[in-house]
């Protein structure tokens, strides 16, 4: 290029020199010089015009204009640049097509929505699951096409995107869908939707199975416990060595009954919705629980204290709240050594209402905390035999809190004690006097 530039300059100087010589010989130097430069400028304009015509040509394969010197090398460079761009474009298009083809072949629905909420692209599975038509729906707001109010609320609330949304398919209410939304770019959205009907059926079958088995076990267990009690009542007429066996059988049958009751309660919590909630007098409920905890403690002589806001009620279901709160307090008794301290506090602040149960017990290793509310999860398997626990207590607490828009928080230090906190939002608070006046539909 440098070389071309130099030879173009040389040529210009030569032409100017020649023109000056001719002009001088003919005695019309200014005219000849002016004509020469005009001719040179016209030639440059012509080359520029050629370049512009070629660049604007709709035919990508139009032949490159030819020229000499600097212009010739400019044309060649532009041509090479254009070829390189075309190649890169081709490669990008091929990658894009591959991505689109593989996404289109996915069994799950994939949709791309722009920052205004309008549909840009979706795959075949999304068309079938959500009933979309390419001919009419491109560019339409997705909330006009998927009209489920739960979907609209979920779509508009970007904070909720961490959790998926479960809803019925708009095309078929028997099909269950799970929707995940991810933000990308400038608030564009990628929506994934999956058919989870089979999973939901399996989940329902599992729940039914557990509920049925628990229900069926109830009667035989009652009969066995009844007879065991009768035997124990007449222990003195039975051989002495039977005494120990009988009391162990009675203990274990009691444990099985607790298990069955907890399983039944859990499946009720999982499967029932929509009962009317009332203002529950938590202070009196906690006083009863405190008394029961004191008698559970018995000779172990725990120091149980209750501090509560007498005017603070909670909108909910009293039997469920009673199960949850008593599980926490009884756990504190079970897992706190003799004469340990247990403090129960019920209060409200600007965040809502809170129940705090703290103890000076054995505490829980932090690695167990995330899994503690799973069914049958125990922080230390060796403890279960002493306490007679079912391993379902905290799972029940978690479900009850979920049904009351609450959250469970667990803090614990091994060997120092634990604090279980239940946090309820403001709208669940109610004043003691408004009992039964304030009722709301549960979610
Ligand atoms: P369990 O019937 O075994 O008590 P839970 O679901 O109520 O079942 O509790 C699960 C586990 O959490 C318990 O087995 C115990 O290891 C641990 N845990 C619960 N509450 C406490 C507590 N206050 N102090 C120490 N560990 C506790």
């Amino acid at each position: 290029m440098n070389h071309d530039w130099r030879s173009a300059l040389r040529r210009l100087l030569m032409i100017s020199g020649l023109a000056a010589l001719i002009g001088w010989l003919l005695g019309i130097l200014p005219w000849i010089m002016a004509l020469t430069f005009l001719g040179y400028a016209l030639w440059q304009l012509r080359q520029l015009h050629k370049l512009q015509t070629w660049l604007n040509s709709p035919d990508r394969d139009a032949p490159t204009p030819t020229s000499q010197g600097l212009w010739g090398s400019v044309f060649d460079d532009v041509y090479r640049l254009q070829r390189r761009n075309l190649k890169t474009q081709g490669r990008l298009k091929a990658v894009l097509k591959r991505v689109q083809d593989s996404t289109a072949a996915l069994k799950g629905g994939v949709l791309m929505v722009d920052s205004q909420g309008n549909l840009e692209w979706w795959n075949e599975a999304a068309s079938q699951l959500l009933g979309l038509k390419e001919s009419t729906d491109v560019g339409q707001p997705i909330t006009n096409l998927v009209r489920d109010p739960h979907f609209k609320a979920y779509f508009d609330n970007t904070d909720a995107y961490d959790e998926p949304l479960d809803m019925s398919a708009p095309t078929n209410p028997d099909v269950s869908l799970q929707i995940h939304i991810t933000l990308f770019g400038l608030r564009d959205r990628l929506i994934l939707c999956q058919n989870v009907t089979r999973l939901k059926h399996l989940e329902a079958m599992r729940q039914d199975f557990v509920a049925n088995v628990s229900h069926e076990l109830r009667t035989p267990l009652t009969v066995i416990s009844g007879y065991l009690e009768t035997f124990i009542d007449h222990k003195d007429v039975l051989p002495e060595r039977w005494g120990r066996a009988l009391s162990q059988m009675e203990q274990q049958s009691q444990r099985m009954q607790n298990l069955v009751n907890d399983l039944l309660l859990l499946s009720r919590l999982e499967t029932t919705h929509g009962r009317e909630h009332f203002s529950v007098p938590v202070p009196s409920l906690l006083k009863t629980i405190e008394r029961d905890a004191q008698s559970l403690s018995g000779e172990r002589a725990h120091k149980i204290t209750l501090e509560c806001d007498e005017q603070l009620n909670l909108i909910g279901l009293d039997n469920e709240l009673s199960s949850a709160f008593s599980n926490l307090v009884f756990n504190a008794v079970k897992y706190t050594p003799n004469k340990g301290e247990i403090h129960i506090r019920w209060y409200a602040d600007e965040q809502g209402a809170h129940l705090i149960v703290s103890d000076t017990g054995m505490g829980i290793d932090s690695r167990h905390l995330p899994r503690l509310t799973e069914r049958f999860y125990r922080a230390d398997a060796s403890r279960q035999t002493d306490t007679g626990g079912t391993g379902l207590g905290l799972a029940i607490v978690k479900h009850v809190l979920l049904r009351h828009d609450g959250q469970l928080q667990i803090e614990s230090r091994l060997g120092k004690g634990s604090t279980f906190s239940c946090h309820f939002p403001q709208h669940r608070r109610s004043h003691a006097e408004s009992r039964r006046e304030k009722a709301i539909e549960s979610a």
Side-chain angles (χ1 to χ4, degrees), residues 327-328 331-332 334-335 359 362-364 372 377-380 383 387 389-395 418 420:
N327 263 309
L328 292 180
N331 271 352
K334 283 193 291 186
Y335 300 109
D359 62 57
M362 54 180 72
I364 308 156
L372 222 52
Y377 188 85
R378 290 187 168 100
D380 180 353
R383 294 177 188 174
T387 62
T390 61
L392 295 170
L394 291 180
S418 314
F420 288 76

